[in-house]
Amino acid sequence: MLMAVNEDGLNRREPLVLGIESSCDETGVGIVRGRKLLANVIASSMDEHARYGGVVPEVAARAHLEAMAPTIREAVTTAGIELDDIDAVAVANGPGLAGALMVGVGAAKALALALDKPIFAVNHLVGHVGADVLSPEGQLAYPQVALLVSGGHTSLLLVRDLTSDVELLGETVDDAAGEAFDKVARILGLPYPGGPQIDRAAADGDPKAIRFPRGLSQPKDMDAHRYDFSFSGLKTAVARWVEVRRDAGEPVPLADVAASFREAVVDVLVSKAIAACTDLGVPRLLLGGGVTANARLREVAAERCGAAGIELRVPEFSLCTDNGAMIAALGAELIMAGAAPSPLSFGADSTLPATEICVS
Amino acid sequence: MLLAIDTSAGTSVATLWSASSSAGDSEGGAAAGGGSAEASSTNPMAHAEVIGELIAEVLGASGLDASAVTGVVAGVGPGPFTGLRVGLAAASAFALGRQVALLPVVSHDAIALAALDEASGPLLVVTDARRKELYWSIYSGLNAHGLPERVAGPSLSKPDDLPPEWNGTPVTRWDAAEVSAGLLARIAQRMLDAGLEFEPFEPLYLRSPDVTMPGAVKRVNS
Ligand SMILES: [Zn+2]
């Protein structure tokens, strides 16, 4: 095969990239060749966090160190390549849990040096958007609005170009949506992680039974927080409602509470995302992050996007949760777009802004 | 050629070390030197930032490329969580990338190797564990392979609880604020030469993660 090799020796036509992701509780290693997915291996420490009711940063970081080398090894085997074959290493350097990110950063730098390959430090959030280039339908169309929802982040992005122009429209001002699911599950006596539990409990519930508040959705919020989210007030409202019933010795209608809470979260997420598409004249919405596992979120998004003439894209679930393939994919896109590798001096940045796509 | 990495003591160090560069001092001469290139950073907050540059620096300074590395020595601590992990992640990934052996060594052993040149056993090696606690290990001296003989530790204690003696003999206290990657490599080489088994690849945090078990759900109504 004839390779398009750039002056700097880097294969920029269909680069073989290994991506490392360690921003939260998943150790992810993915391998792509250009836009083709070769491996997406994930080791999760979620079970270790269950008894604490949420991700414990130190527990997650310890698990990353244990899982890193075996996960890299498995990805290489799955992809059917030799480590020596790769053209570059990509790693998520933020945002996320600092100690967890540092494990990936340390490993990625040493791996790149051992293989004498360039390294690309890329943004985890933009990586979620980048995952979509691996979808069978192929390339992202621009501009694109992206709603990224997980236990660690809730962000609305405007992507004019994946490798050069990403704008943060809004994000949560308190809890991430996934966190809200975990906290409300606890209030309802359901185990961690809360998302699937609430989803199950809500199955037979009436989403209109209780009108829980929609955070930052009042007219007065529209100036400063049009595209921002807040779930802390909603969580308190659910707690209050449940407590009043329990104090009165009345039974708590679990299915209705779960369905009504879920509806409030989904309503706010989708309403703000659609508003962004409409306001900005962008007829495309991409969903990403672990909360896209929520069936009701996908359903409401599909309904309302359909009604508004907005094309909805949701990558396959294994590419929506935190994973290394999306990091590799973004790395490959950057290489194909001619980006320069990152200098070796970058660190982990727990609050890395979405606008910083790659460390240069 | 061994690449040695240690980030256990608040510093980050890397060295490229070859057995031939230490020829002639194999009987006893334990102090520093012998490494063909060594690089370090004293910034206790920047392990992830510096680790790549340090490895690149020792490779560059020795004029060798990564393929010359035949083994990666990893200082497994004891050390505080975050920094220690960066060095171990780097060491294991480098070994994986080059498909060479990962050689874990207790970081205190390298401190003892330097100290036993000047002090005689029993030696109490002490490093900072933060949070007003100390890591310590006791060494009785060098063994027949020229390796520090660790007889107690590594352990974690309050400053007042350090052991004053070992086997009835008062210990000589030896505080250290850094670990020499060169000496770590020398220990690994002596272990290789003697055909000894290495430590398991396990970070010696000696401390459990800070976790709080969720209590009862708090009331929101008064
Ligand atoms: Zn994520």
Side-chain angles (χ1 to χ4, degrees), chain B residues 156-185:
Chain B
L156 179 72
S157 292
K158 300 273 178 222
D160 291 344
D161 298 339
L162 289 177
E165 52 168 46
W166 178 73
N167 249 2
T169 313
V171 294
T172 306
R173 178 171 166 164
W174 192 276
D175 284 80
E178 55 195 317
V179 174
S180 155
L183 292 180
L184 209 64

Side-chain angles (χ1 to χ4, degrees), chain B residues 66-130:
Chain B
S67 61
V69 174
T70 55
V72 181
V73 187
V76 293
F81 310 160
T82 314
L84 174 62
R85 234 174 347 244
V86 172
L88 292 180
S92 77
F94 196 100
L96 177 64
R98 290 260 45 94
Q99 318 252 9
V100 296
L102 180 61
L103 310 168
V105 171
V106 172
S107 304
H108 276 185
D109 290 5
I111 297 169
L113 185 59
L116 286 167
D117 246 13
E118 296 175 36
S120 53
L123 181 81
L124 177 71
V125 167
V126 177
T127 54
D128 186 10
R130 311 242 184 101

Side-chain angles (χ1 to χ4, degrees), chain B residues 195-216:
Chain B
L196 300 176
E197 226 175 276
F198 282 81
E199 303 285 332
F201 180 67
E202 232 167 67
L204 300 174
Y205 305 117
L206 307 186
R207 214 182 242 149
S208 301
D210 296 318
V211 291
T212 39
M213 292 304 274

Side-chain angles (χ1 to χ4, degrees), chain A residues 60-224:
Chain A
R62 289 184 181 195
H64 283 305
L65 178 60
E66 266 175 50
M68 190 57 70
T71 309
I72 295 173
R73 231 178 265 126
E74 195 184 329
V76 168
T77 308
T78 306
I81 60 157
E82 298 290 332
L83 257 180
D84 262 333
D85 298 340
I86 66 164
D87 293 307
V89 175
V91 62
N93 74 314
L97 304 170
L101 287 163
M102 280 182 216
V103 175
V105 167
K109 286 181 179 179
L111 185 64
L113 286 163
L115 300 170
D116 196 18
K117 302 296 178 189
I119 188 165
F120 291 80
V122 307
N123 190 303
H124 170 88
L125 288 176
V126 183
H128 273 299
V129 184
D132 195 44
V133 304
L134 302 172
S135 298
E137 311 88 64
Q139 227 178 321
L140 273 173
Y142 301 115
Q144 177 99 37
V145 169
L147 172 66
L148 308 176
V149 201
S150 76
H153 43 75
T154 303
S155 308
L156 201 52
L157 308 184
L158 173 61
V159 183
R160 289 192 199 86
D161 186 292
L162 185 64
T163 60
S164 64
D165 191 352
V166 175
E167 187 187 328
L168 177 71
L169 296 174
E171 61 190 335
T172 183
V173 298
D174 40 53
D175 295 343
E179 254 178 306
F181 274 97
D182 293 338
K183 288 178 176 174
V184 167
R186 234 167 79 67
I187 290 165
L188 296 175
L190 299 169
Y192 172 89
Q197 297 289 336
I198 298 266
D199 231 13
R200 206 165 304 143
D204 301 320
D206 175 6
K208 294 200 175 87
I210 309 149
R211 174 74 194 180
F212 287 126
R214 271 62 171 160
L216 298 180
S217 296
Q218 303 295 318
K220 66 177 165 63
D221 301 319
M222 285 302 115
D223 284 343

Side-chain angles (χ1 to χ4, degrees), chain A residues 21 23 124-125 128 150 153 289-290 320-322 326:
Chain A
E21 153 62 37
S23 67
H124 170 88
L125 288 176
H128 273 299
S150 76
H153 43 75
C320 276
T321 50
D322 291 347
M326 69 186 197

Side-chain angles (χ1 to χ4, degrees), chain A residues 58 62 109 114 240 243 247, chain B residues 48 98 207 219-221:
Chain A
E58 176 60 21
R62 289 184 181 195
K109 286 181 179 179
R240 190 161 284 147
E243 221 172 83
D247 286 353
Chain B
R98 290 260 45 94
R207 214 182 242 149
R219 279 190 69 84
V220 286
N221 298 312

